[in-house]
């Protein structure tokens, strides 16, 4: 999404007015994967979708319900943007008491803060196994076989049993577009609202001190001459001043 | 004889009864309002053959045959009435004297004309065999019956005359010239032989005639009944009206048409009334660019399913690619002599694909639709930047406190697409030159929802429409002008279904009026120009003359393309295809710019941002950049505004907005930046 971000008065987040919000892309893979597992295992599987944030996240929860989740939990927190991943993970873990869920799926990262830490921290707090950046997943008899995306295009296949936390990377699946009957059914599904104050609060481990757009770089370099000469110049600049050709 | 006639008639009625039962597999739909108007339409269009004559060649043969055949039918009826009712019951004979002479001559010539018309149709179908014209077994039966009925008719007449008029009253025989000619071949036979030959031929003619009546329902001949009925049951709502969906009723299990039972009886009836004339097919921009959609095939497929296994899934039978290929350009409906409604069927099929299966014609379309849901525009641009284009234009004459003269519903393309922003600016310049105060909704304007609605996504369309209607009402606007024909159709017709009741106009007519009323002064400069009729301005709204008048007033000399006006050829962007990549067949827009280039004009004018984008792109890909430029009519007019006009100064450094945002309390010019 193309947007104009402006730092807020505190200089630690951006002004949210005039911005459009949607379900975090990586979370859509998590929602889809949960529904695929439910479709595989049958109607006994129950999917709860959880979001922490201001009232607008209800729209995202409704979208997840329309896709096929069974119930939603909205942890109401108008100041969620001030919380660090540790605090977010703590809130999720408080809602997902050990034993109440076999599998927790999250996005690989959020599209705003992008810490990639919440999933692993939830696993740690609950004492669950964890696989991150999952691009393929197979579930059979409590055993999960997951393909993980590693650095440099490598893939790793890991196998583990539930309970577990999975963080979902793009490529895992193609999230479905909600059908109209499901959108209508979703209006009747349970949507539990929990004020964030009702959950145990943790102290932040890291604090955002400043949020600002990158400094504007000064003008680029325009090379001139014939094309063979230009290529040579470009290669030497890339070699000397960048790591692109090393 | 009476028993035979009753049997034939019974066979005909039974055949139609069985077909009507199949029509009833569709959902109810009320087409029985305005009966007198409907009767008039049916009578007018049937007798005038106006819709058949839209294609002159075969249309003329058909019409001539129809009129002649109608006369013969009426004549036969008159004979029947006299011979079987008035004469035996009341001894009243009206076929006598001068009237009989005229009657005789007219029927005799009608027989000849019918034969010639039929011959023309026969030669076309069986000898010339135009591509796309499918001939099935029943067509042979129908044609053979018609030919033999006409021929035996002349034989019966000739043999009768050989025994009567020719020897006894040659003057009378002259009033049946063809019968006279035929009869002379039999004058050698003795009167007894003539009588028995006449009787035998009379029976053959009768049996053929009754056979004709009997097979009407089961052959193409049923169009004798179904086509006038189609005229009677025609859609009287404004062109392009789509049925709305009740989004509150959560007992509905199926949206759109997955099977025949999800369509209306009229859709099944349409399919049965199709005469396979292939006029729609050869005008379909998808078909002529080798895409898998034939509007005729689609309609026939629906019929095949309805009369066969009606549980069959329609999108599967027809093919998803075919369903997605339609640009909703309406060329098919415009030309259909039987007034088949193709587009509504296609939208119903798309509603099933979209609303029930979450399907899209491509991933790029899914992205655009999701962008529209979130950002209110298919580009995914920030909604907050929607009115950025308006910054830097000069300020209008300030009339603080009153709502602007017009609310300009800008649309996504003119708001975000750099090329189309020039159209928005040109339009505003013309308005200001005329002293018209322009307001916009600014950040509260959303996509009008047209492409999504045509893709079948009634749900998101309704959300967008609701938001726009609320914003329009809150703005205090009293009239709306759009530069986009898609916005125009949606606001003027579709939003009316949802309660918006304001006058809505397209810039082409608005600007033309400003020019005609001399509210703007133009300095015309002469140029050759060809005009591309946007489907949604032309065929849908019948606006053909105004944009041309504006071009002429600007100094343009119109050079028309091969396909123009009502026959205009789509740019390929309608029906939500603006959001889709054209992967199948060749490019529709390329076909269109080739037609434009063939006129020799160097300027191609349009009145639609979708057309502008498609045609401009096609000019690049077909290498016609040297020969042809595309410009919107408003741009061409704005360029010729007299320099003295008080607001001529786009980009001259002024930072006042050129238009007022009326979304949040009208009347206060809003400064952006």
């Amino acid at each position: 999404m193309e947007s104009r971000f402006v730092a807020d008065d505190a200089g630690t987040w951006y002004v949210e007015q005039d911005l459009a919000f949607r379900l975090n892309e990586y979370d859509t893979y998590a929602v889809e994967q949960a529904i695929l597992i439910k479709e595989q295992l049958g109607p006994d599987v129950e999917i709860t979708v959880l979001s922490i944030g201001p009232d607008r996240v209800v729209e995202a929860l409704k979208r997840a319900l329309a896709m096929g989740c069974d119930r939603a939990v909205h942890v109401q927190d108008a100041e969620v943007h001030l919380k660090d991943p540790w605090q977010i993970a703590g809130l999720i873990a408080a809602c997902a008491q050990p034993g109440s869920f076999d599998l927790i799926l999250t996005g690989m990262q959020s599209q705003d803060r992008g810490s990639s830490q919440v999933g692993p921290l939830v696993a740690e707090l609950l004492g669950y196994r964890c696989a991150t950046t999952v691009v393929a997943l197979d579930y059979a008899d409590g055993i999960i076989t997951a393909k993980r995306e590693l650095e440099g295009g490598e893939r790793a296949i890991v196998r583990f049993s539930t309970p577990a936390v999975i963080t979902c990377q793009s490529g895992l699946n193609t999230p479905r577009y909600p059908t109209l009957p499901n959108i209508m059914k979703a209006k009747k599904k349970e949507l539990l609202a929990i004020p964030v104050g009702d959950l145990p609060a943790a102290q932040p481990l890291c604090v955002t001190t400043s949020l600002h757009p990158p400094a504007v770089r000064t003008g680029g370099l325009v090379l001139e001459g014939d094309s063979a000469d230009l290529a040579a110049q470009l290669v030497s600049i890339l070699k000397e001043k960048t790591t692109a050709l090393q | 004889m009476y028993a035979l006639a009753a049997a034939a008639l019974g066979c005909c009625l039974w055949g139609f009864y069985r077909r009507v039962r199949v029509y009833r597999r569709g959902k109810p739909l009320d087409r029985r309002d305005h009966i007198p108007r409907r009767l008039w339409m049916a009578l007018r269009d049937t007798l005038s053959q106006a819709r058949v004559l839209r294609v002159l060649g075969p249309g003329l043969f058909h019409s001539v045959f129809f009129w002649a055949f109608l006369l013969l039918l009426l004549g036969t009826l008159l004979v029947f009435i006299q011979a079987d009712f008035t004469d035996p019951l009341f001894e009243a004979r009206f076929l006598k004297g001068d009237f009989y002479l005229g009657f005789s001559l007219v029927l005799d010539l009608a027989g000849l004309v019918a034969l010639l018309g039929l011959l023309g149709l026969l030669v076309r179908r069986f000898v010339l065999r135009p591509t796309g014209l499918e001939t099935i077994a029943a067509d042979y039966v129908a044609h053979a019956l018609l030919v033999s009925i006409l021929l035996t008719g002349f034989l019966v007449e000739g043999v009768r005359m050989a025994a009567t008029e020719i020897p006894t009253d040659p003057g009378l025989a002259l009033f049946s010239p063809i019968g006279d000619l035929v009869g002379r071949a039999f004058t050698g036979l003795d009167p007894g032989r003539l009588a028995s030959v006449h009787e035998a031929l009379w029976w053959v003619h009768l049996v053929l005639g009754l056979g004709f009546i009997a097979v009407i329902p089961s052959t193409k001949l049923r169009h004798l009944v179904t086509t006038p009925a189609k005229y009677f049951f025609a859609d009287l709502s404004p062109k392009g009206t789509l049925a709305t969906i009740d989004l509150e009723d959560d007992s509905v299990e199926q949206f759109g048409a997955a099977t025949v039972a999800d369509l209306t009886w009229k859709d099944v009836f349409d399919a049965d009334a199709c005469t396979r004339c292939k006029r729609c097919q050869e005008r379909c921009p998808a078909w002529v660019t080798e895409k898998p959609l034939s509007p005729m095939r689609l309609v026939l497929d629906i019929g095949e399913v309805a009369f066969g296994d009606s549980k069959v899934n329609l999108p599967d039978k027809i093919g998803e690619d075919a369903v997605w290929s339609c640009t909703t350009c309406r060329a098919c409906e415009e030309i259909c002599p039987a007034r088949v409604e193709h587009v509504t069927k296609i939208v119903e099929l798309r509603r099933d694909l979209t609303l029930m299966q979450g399907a899209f014609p491509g991933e790029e379309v899914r992205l655009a639709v999701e962008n529209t849901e979130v950002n209110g525009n298919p580009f995914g641009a920030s909604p907050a930047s929607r009115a950025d284009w308006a910054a830097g234009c000069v300020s209008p004459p300030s009339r603080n406190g009153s709502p602007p003269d017009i609310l300009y519903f800008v649309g996504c393309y003119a708001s975000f697409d750099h090329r189309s922003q020039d159209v928005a600016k040109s339009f505003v310049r013309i308005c200001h030159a005329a002293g018209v105060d322009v307001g916009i909704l600014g950040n509260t304007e959303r996509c009008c929802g047209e492409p999504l609605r045509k893709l079948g996504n009634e749900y998101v369309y309704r959300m967008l429409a609701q938001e726009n209607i609320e914003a329009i009402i809150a703005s205090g606007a009293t009239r709306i002008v759009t530069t986009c024909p898609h916005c125009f159709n949606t606001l003027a017709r579709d939003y009316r279904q949802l309660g918006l009741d304001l006058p809505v106009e397209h810039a082409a007519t608005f600007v033309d009026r400003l020019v005609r009323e001399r509210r703007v002064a133009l300095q015309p400069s002469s140029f050759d120009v060809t005009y591309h009729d946007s489907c949604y301005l032309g065929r849908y709204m019948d606006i053909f003359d105004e944009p041309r008048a504006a071009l002429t007033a600007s100094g343009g000399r119109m050079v028309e393309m091969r396909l123009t006006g009502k026959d205009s050829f789509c740019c390929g962007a309608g029906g939500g295809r603006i959001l889709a990549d054209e992967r199948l067949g060749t490019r529709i827009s390329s076909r269109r710019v080739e037609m434009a280039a063939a006129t020799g004009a160097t300027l191609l004018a349009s009145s639609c941002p979708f057309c502008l984008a498609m045609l401009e792109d096609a000019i690049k890909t077909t290498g016609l950049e040297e020969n042809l430029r595309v410009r919107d009519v408003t741009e061409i007019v704005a360029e010729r505004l007299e320099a003295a006009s008080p607001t001529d100064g786009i980009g001259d450094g002024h930072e006042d907005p050129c238009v007022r945002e009326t979304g949040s309390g009208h009347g206060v010019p809003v400064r952006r930046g």
Side-chain angles (χ1 to χ4, degrees), chain A residues 214-222 241:
Chain A
V216 181
R217 304 255 173 121
T218 46
L221 185 64
V222 178
K241 304 202 172 170

Side-chain angles (χ1 to χ4, degrees), chain B residues 42-57:
Chain B
L43 213 59
R44 181 198 60 196
D45 288 355
T46 308
L47 294 182
S48 73
Q49 294 280 291
R51 297 193 66 90
V52 181
L53 282 166
R54 289 269 337 260
V55 178
L56 205 56

Side-chain angles (χ1 to χ4, degrees), chain A residues 1-5 17-23 28 32 59 62-63 66-67 174-185 187-188, chain B residues 245-250 253 255 354-358 360 363 366 369-371 373-375 380-385 388 443 457 459-460:
Chain A
M1 184 179 82
E2 172 205 320
S3 275
R4 292 170 303 183
F5 292 96
Q17 195 196 344
D18 283 342
L19 295 182
F21 289 84
R22 74 202 312 171
L23 181 55
T28 61
E32 176 64 27
E59 287 309 310
K62 280 185 183 164
R63 175 90 177 189
M67 286 172 74
T174 306
R176 69 197 60 199
Y177 188 79
T179 66
L180 185 51
N182 284 344
I183 291 172
M184 311 247 275
K185 275 183 215 141
K187 290 177 183 165
K188 290 184 179 162
Chain B
I245 286 178
D246 185 356
L247 296 174
E248 301 302 317
D249 184 0
D250 53 14
E253 297 277 324
F255 299 97
T354 299
L355 299 176
M356 301 305 295
Q357 301 175 41
F360 295 89
E363 271 308 297
R366 180 197 175 110
V369 170
E370 291 190 335
N371 278 336
E373 283 179 59
V374 175
N375 298 309
S382 162
S385 62
D388 284 4
N443 297 352
N457 200 329
Y459 179 70
V460 178

Side-chain angles (χ1 to χ4, degrees), chain A residues 4-214:
Chain A
R4 292 170 303 183
F5 292 96
V6 180
D8 62 11
D9 290 342
T12 54
W13 197 240
Y14 46 82
V15 180
E16 294 187 350
Q17 195 196 344
D18 283 342
L19 295 182
F21 289 84
R22 74 202 312 171
L23 181 55
N24 176 39
E25 180 193 334
Y26 300 101
D27 290 340
T28 61
Y29 306 129
V31 170
E32 176 64 27
Q33 198 60 40
I35 299 163
L36 289 174
I37 292 171
K38 180 177 172 127
E39 285 175 349
Q40 176 196 338
L41 299 181
D44 289 345
V45 174
E46 192 188 47
I47 308 169
T48 301
V49 57
L50 176 143
S51 182
I52 306 168
D55 287 343
R56 65 156 188 270
V57 306
V58 169
E59 287 309 310
L61 289 172
K62 280 185 183 164
R63 175 90 177 189
L65 290 175
M67 286 172 74
C69 296
D70 298 297
R71 51 194 288 271
V73 176
H74 173 204
V75 178
Q76 296 168 310
D77 184 359
E79 302 207 309
V80 68
H81 58 280
L82 299 176
K83 292 199 165 53
D84 77 338
W86 173 250
Q87 291 172 294
I88 301 282
L91 292 171
I92 295 172
C95 293
Q97 295 298 324
S100 51
F101 294 97
D102 298 310
L103 187 60
I104 297 176
L105 295 136
T106 74
M108 181 268 279
Q109 61 183 13
S110 63
Q111 279 177 294
D112 47 14
R113 201 182 292 269
S115 78
S116 302
Q117 294 175 23
V118 172
L121 288 173
V122 169
E124 184 62 27
L125 287 167
L126 295 174
Y128 285 9
R129 294 163 193 86
C130 180
T132 57
T133 58
V134 170
V135 291
L137 186 144
D138 177 64
Y139 178 91
D141 303 325
I143 303 294
I144 289 169
T145 309
K147 186 189 276 184
R148 299 186 54 229
E149 186 180 272
L150 307 181
E151 297 291 324
E154 296 286 320
R155 298 280 191 276
I157 292 176
V158 291
R159 186 170 292 127
F160 49 94
S161 59
T162 57
V165 175
I166 306 263
T167 80
C168 305
Q169 167 69 307
S170 63
L172 176 60
N173 52 46
T174 306
R176 69 197 60 199
Y177 188 79
T179 66
L180 185 51
N182 284 344
I183 291 172
M184 311 247 275
K185 275 183 215 141
K187 290 177 183 165
K188 290 184 179 162
K189 287 180 179 172
E190 182 192 353
L191 200 155
L192 180 67
I194 304 174
V196 70
D198 293 359
L199 296 171
Q203 289 305 307
L205 298 183
C206 80
V207 176
T208 305
T209 56
S210 171
L211 181 136
H212 55 82

